Amino acid sequence: MYLLRLAFRSLLNRRFSALLTVLAIALSVTLLLGVEKIRTEARASFASTISGTDLIVGPRTGSVQLLLYSVFRIGNASSNMHWDSFQKIAAHPRVDWAIPISLGDSHRGFKVMGTTGDYFTHYRHGRDRQLVFSGGEAFADLYDAVIGADIARELNYQLGSELVLAHLGLNRAGLERQPVTELSIGQQQRVAAARALIGSPELVIADEPTSALDADTREAFLQLLLVECQAAGSSLLFVSHDAALESLFDRSLSLRELNRAAPAQEVI
């Protein structure tokens, strides 16, 4: 009993430091439990999203970015792979099955994924659970679409409803029915970029596309244009009098140098 009283009196004399020690231990335990809970929930979330898949292959990008966007639809779409690259991977003798996935489009704020019918055959979630249709069936035509049941209820869609997909940030409802003269300058520029990228051309020439845009809109449009050209595998030839944009490109040439007259002996 004497030792207990002595320990208690010593604790009272050092009550401030003892309280700090208790708080530090409690905080440490809380952090450890929080990290463990996050780790467990992340693993459970991944397992409930996809299962039975051994490898995710994508274009050159960060592995975490590829995982987050291709599986969890978090972040921005990376550049696309060439179709022949996918075919070579799918034809490899050690590959049992492969599903192509193309991301980047949207519909009324919801992300859109392009794929083939094999997605519904091989994709599994949870503990090897197959996707189940609450109505309709897998798409059989190029212009068919399958949407999630929750999204269908939220947007009040029925079987046979028509969808308009959006790209380059042109996702405002009813925008496809507006005359071009009623679009903002930024929207007109994005429409022009979308038209230029049809068919994934080798070269896209943009002549002063940002001259009528303010600073914020210009920055957003340029980042969008660069990402889309990379995704399409297109080289971008960008003409501008704004020297501040030079750092965004791999190579720059001065218009003064291009316009310099050639020596007389070189003129034919």
Side-chain angles (χ1 to χ4, degrees):
M1 293 296 295
Y2 175 74
L3 291 177
L4 290 177
R5 287 197 300 270
L6 183 62
F8 181 71
R9 290 178 179 176
S10 176
L11 185 62
L12 288 178
N13 290 332
R14 298 176 175 85
R15 53 184 177 272
F16 182 72
S17 59
L19 180 61
L20 289 179
T21 302
V22 172
L23 290 176
I25 294 175
L27 181 60
S28 300
V29 172
T30 302
L31 288 175
L32 287 174
L33 293 177
V35 171
E36 179 62 22
K37 183 175 179 60
I38 292 174
R39 187 182 68 85
T40 303
E41 289 184 352
R43 179 180 296 177
S45 177
F46 182 83
S48 64
T49 303
I50 186 172
S51 64
T53 300
D54 299 316
L55 183 65
I56 300 174
V57 180
R60 183 176 298 177
T61 184
S63 57
V64 175
Q65 180 187 7
L66 177 63
L67 174 66
L68 289 177
Y69 198 80
S70 62
V71 177
F72 297 101
R73 310 295 186 263
I74 299 175
N76 297 319
S78 59
S79 57
N80 293 324
M81 293 176 58
H82 289 288
W83 179 249
D84 56 352
S85 298
F86 167 77
Q87 290 179 314
K88 290 178 181 178
I89 294 174
H92 196 282
R94 294 188 178 182
V95 175
D96 186 23
W97 54 266
I99 301 174
I101 292 177
S102 178
L103 302 165
D105 291 339
S106 64
H107 174 69
R108 299 183 66 176
F110 295 99
K111 297 182 183 299
V112 174
M113 180 183 71
T115 185
T116 65
D118 291 337
Y119 182 84
F120 306 102
T121 303
H122 299 293
Y123 180 83
R124 296 291 187 275
H125 66 99
R127 296 189 176 181
D128 201 34
R129 296 172 58 189
Q130 191 173 10
L131 294 174
V132 178
F133 290 89
S134 61
E137 57 187 6
F139 48 74
D141 184 73
L142 177 63
Y143 296 102
D144 290 345
V146 175
I147 61 175
D150 292 339
I151 297 176
R153 283 191 292 269
E154 181 175 340
L155 300 180
N156 196 27
Y157 282 162
Q158 307 295 327
L159 292 177
S161 297
E162 293 186 358
L163 309 179
V164 177
L165 304 186
H167 203 64
L168 290 165
L170 297 168
N171 52 13
R172 198 182 73 193
L175 194 63
E176 71 280 359
R177 292 186 292 272
Q178 284 188 227
V180 68
T181 54
E182 296 182 7
L183 300 178
S184 68
I185 298 298
Q187 290 170 341
Q188 292 180 24
Q189 296 293 62
R190 291 196 290 272
V191 169
R195 293 174 58 188
L197 289 167
I198 293 176
S200 300
E202 294 184 3
L203 177 64
V204 174
I205 301 176
D207 186 8
E208 294 282 1
T210 60
S211 59
L213 303 179
D214 56 49
D216 294 337
T217 307
R218 178 190 63 185
E219 183 70 19
F221 173 77
L222 275 176
Q223 293 297 335
L224 191 61
L225 180 61
L226 291 171
V227 169
E228 294 302 326
C229 285
Q230 182 182 13
S234 303
S235 298
L236 175 62
L237 177 59
F238 191 91
V239 181
S240 175
H241 286 86
D242 190 351
L245 305 178
E246 185 177 353
S247 60
L248 298 174
F249 300 90
D250 299 327
R251 182 186 178 193
S252 63
L253 294 174
S254 170
L255 290 174
R256 183 175 301 174
E257 295 178 2
L258 293 176
N259 293 328
R260 187 175 52 191
Q265 61 269 23
E266 296 182 10
V267 178
I268 300 177

